[in-house]
């Protein structure tokens, strides 16, 4: 891995752990084992590096979701696999947590990839639900866009509940709840 990638990965980890304000260029450089000159050789500044880090987190999140959502099985089986996949629940979602960061939300450039990621995730879930509806697995009247938004909201809320409790069980309970609702369709 090159210095640029190490800087991006270090920024990703620190943004996830500390947020934008708590992520200093010095901390990024120290974690990456890179010098100041190296950072500014690859990036115009902290914002430029943070943007690259958010985009990489977004790519990984969407790739992980796609791995389950494109796998064989019914729509409900694929969504279940996505919801039940292994996650670092107590750390929260690396993208969803950024919506709680006032500096990210206040900056349209930094907020854009967060919004785009959550939108793409809702769209992909809606497509899988459409497949299930078209196959007769789900009701013909199902509003798949609304259900996809609900699934994403439950996931993000599950992270919040788990972090507040300091244990993963509230996340697991939220996932079980949305899957029970999906099973009733």
């Amino acid at each position: 891995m090159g210095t640029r990638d190490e800087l991006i990965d270090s920024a990703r980890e620190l943004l996830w752990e500390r947020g934008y304000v708590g992520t200093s260029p010095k901390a990024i450089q120290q974690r990456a084992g890179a010098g100041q000159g190296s950072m500014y050789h690859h990036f115009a500044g902290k914002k430029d590096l943070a943007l690259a880090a958010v985009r990489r987190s977004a790519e990984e999140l969407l790739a992980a979701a796609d791995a389950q959502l494109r796998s064989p099985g019914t729509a409900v089986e694929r969504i279940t696999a996505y919801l039940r996949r292994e996650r670092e629940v107590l750390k929260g979602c690396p993208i969803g947590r950024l919506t709680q960061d006032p500096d990210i939300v206040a900056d349209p450039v930094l907020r854009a990839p967060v919004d785009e990621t959550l939108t793409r995730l809702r769209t992909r879930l809606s497509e899988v639900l459409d497949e299930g509806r078209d196959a007769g697995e789900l009701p013909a009247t199902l509003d798949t866009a609304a259900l996809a938004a609900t699934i994403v909201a439950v996931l993000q809320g599950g992270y919040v509940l788990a972090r507040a409790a300091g244990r993963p069980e509230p996340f697991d309970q939220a996932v079980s709840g949305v899957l029970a609702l999906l099973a009733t369709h």
Side-chain angles (χ1 to χ4, degrees):
M1 183 175 354
T3 302
R4 183 178 195 284
D5 287 329
E6 290 167 352
L7 287 164
I8 291 171
D9 286 342
S10 295
R12 287 179 58 218
E13 292 167 12
L14 289 166
L15 284 170
W16 196 7
E17 294 167 15
R18 303 179 184 179
Y20 188 76
V21 169
T23 300
S24 69
K26 183 176 182 177
I28 295 167
Q29 294 159 18
Q30 286 176 336
R31 187 167 287 196
Q36 183 175 1
S38 179
M39 180 175 156
Y40 291 103
H41 170 76
H42 294 288
F43 301 97
K46 176 182 171 180
K47 181 177 174 179
D48 187 38
L49 175 52
L51 183 59
V54 171
R55 285 183 175 148
R56 182 163 299 163
S57 290
E59 289 167 8
E60 285 191 11
L61 182 144
L62 292 170
D66 252 11
Q68 275 85 34
L69 297 174
R70 293 195 187 281
S71 64
T74 67
V76 173
E77 288 169 345
R78 290 181 284 151
I79 289 172
T80 300
Y82 166 68
L83 291 173
R84 295 274 189 217
R85 76 175 169 81
E86 191 170 323
R87 302 165 194 272
E88 294 185 65
V89 173
L90 295 180
K91 285 180 75 175
C93 173
I95 294 297
R97 281 200 59 189
L98 297 176
T99 66
Q100 302 299 314
D101 190 316
D103 295 291
I104 298 283
V105 173
D107 187 317
V109 172
L110 292 173
R111 186 182 66 242
V114 173
D115 179 40
E116 290 165 14
T117 302
L118 294 172
T119 298
R120 286 179 59 196
L121 181 57
R122 287 192 323 267
T123 299
R124 184 66 191 111
L125 284 164
S126 184
E127 290 168 355
V128 172
L129 292 166
D130 285 340
E131 293 170 21
R133 185 185 59 204
D134 295 346
E137 177 187 355
L138 299 168
T141 58
L142 182 66
D143 182 344
T144 58
L147 184 52
T150 300
I151 291 169
V152 173
V154 166
L155 267 182
Q156 294 305 317
Y159 282 121
V160 170
L161 294 173
R163 286 178 54 80
R167 53 192 175 76
E169 289 81 11
F171 177 90
D172 297 336
Q173 192 175 33
V175 166
S176 293
V178 80
L179 288 173
L181 290 173
L182 189 58
T184 63
H185 283 291

